[in-house]
Structures are given as C-alpha cells and as structure tokens.
Amino acid sequence: MTEIIEGGCLCGQVRYQTSCTKPLFKVNCHCRDCQKLSGSPYVAVMGVPETSFSVTGDLNCFEHQGGSGGTMKSYCCSKCNSRIYGTPEIAKGMVLIVAMSLDNPEFYSADADMFVKQAVSWDMMNSDIPKFDSSMFRRGG
C-alpha cells in the first residue's frame, strides 16, 4: 500500500497529495521573496518530484524572479489566497510544497536553512542544521 501525504489551503477549496514520503529536501528559505510572500522570517518548503504530485481546486499562479535569478511560479488558492506550492525554473520537474499547508505539518523537519544572508537578525535558526548563504541549488543543475 502506497502512503500518501496530503494538504491544502485554509478554506479547503484546494487539496493536494504526493506519493513522495521521502522528500528530495526540506529547507527553511530566508530569502526576501519568501519573507514578503509569507509575512514571516522564512518559508518552510519541501521538494518532491512533479510526477508524485497532484492538486485539485482553483488556483491562481503568479511568476516572480527567484533568488537564483530564474523564474519561480507560485500557486495560491483562488478563494483564500493561501500559498500552496511553487515550481522553480532552476529545478524543472520539481514541486516545492509549502510545508505548513500539509495536513500533518509535524511531517516536516528542516534539513537546512538557505539564503541565511537575507535572514532578519531576530530569526532564531536551528544551529544543528547546515546553513547556506544563498540557494542550495545552482542554475542548470
């Protein structure tokens, strides 16, 4: 039996699931875009293969430049505007799920912090996980 991880938006109109129970990575992103999009010091995201991910409900998509310099597409519920996931140009075939949209957010535990040079001074990061000044990922790979 395949285990499924599920989540959705605040109002319940958007639902998603992934069969990827071992995400490719789980990071806290401290870039300014994530700070502005979330209204908090970072966004907790986990990467899963696009082929393992499905979503239902009406979504809005907006594009912006990510910290890598490439395009990031962010998907939000069209009704309550909850940010659900993103697809980065730098990592084609990957979906970045906003971890706090998980039905069970306890599933998430960060493996690393990235864009720590952009972190606010009062952000209390976990000293036990690796830190990256910018993205953990590089363009083209």
Side-chain angles (χ1 to χ4, degrees), residues 9 19 35 47 54 65 69 84-86 92 95 115 124 126 137 139:
C9 67
S19 58
Q35 292 169 0
S54 63
Q65 186 176 6
I84 306 296
Y85 71 99
K92 292 191 187 312
V95 171
F115 288 101
M124 302 295 288
N126 180 345
F137 314 103
R139 283 186 77 104

Side-chain angles (χ1 to χ4, degrees), residues 105-131:
E106 293 296 328
F107 172 79
Y108 178 86
S109 177
D111 296 327
D113 287 298
M114 64 184 203
F115 288 101
V116 297
K117 279 195 166 191
Q118 296 178 30
V120 292
S121 63
W122 46 266
D123 187 354
M124 302 295 288
M125 289 184 239
N126 180 345
S127 61
D128 295 333
I129 59 175
K131 309 287 181 262

Side-chain angles (χ1 to χ4, degrees), residues 3-140:
E3 190 175 339
I4 301 293
I5 297 168
E6 297 180 302
C9 67
L10 179 64
C11 73
Q13 189 257 143
V14 172
R15 297 291 302 159
Y16 67 82
Q17 64 180 26
T18 180
S19 58
C20 181
T21 59
K22 293 185 181 178
L24 305 170
F25 58 84
K26 297 181 282 180
V27 299
N28 295 330
C29 183
H30 301 265
C31 79
R32 284 296 292 147
D33 285 347
C34 283
Q35 292 169 0
K36 288 181 179 185
L37 284 167
S38 69
S40 65
Y42 64 89
V43 171
V45 296
M46 59 185 222
V48 300
E50 192 172 40
T51 56
S52 76
F53 182 80
S54 63
V55 63
T56 59
D58 190 28
L59 294 157
N60 289 329
C61 173
F62 66 95
E63 293 185 13
H64 55 97
Q65 186 176 6
S68 68
T71 300
M72 169 67 87
K73 291 182 180 179
S74 291
Y75 295 87
C76 303
C77 172
S78 65
K79 185 176 178 183
C80 69
N81 279 329
S82 296
R83 188 167 169 222
I84 306 296
Y85 71 99
T87 55
E89 177 184 60
I90 193 172
K92 292 191 187 312
M94 185 183 309
V95 171
L96 303 179
I97 296 172
V98 176
M100 293 304 104
S101 70
L102 293 166
D103 287 348
N104 177 13
E106 293 296 328
F107 172 79
Y108 178 86
S109 177
D111 296 327
D113 287 298
M114 64 184 203
F115 288 101
V116 297
K117 279 195 166 191
Q118 296 178 30
V120 292
S121 63
W122 46 266
D123 187 354
M124 302 295 288
M125 289 184 239
N126 180 345
S127 61
D128 295 333
I129 59 175
K131 309 287 181 262
F132 296 88
D133 286 341
S134 60
S135 176
M136 295 171 38
F137 314 103
R138 300 289 172 238
R139 283 186 77 104

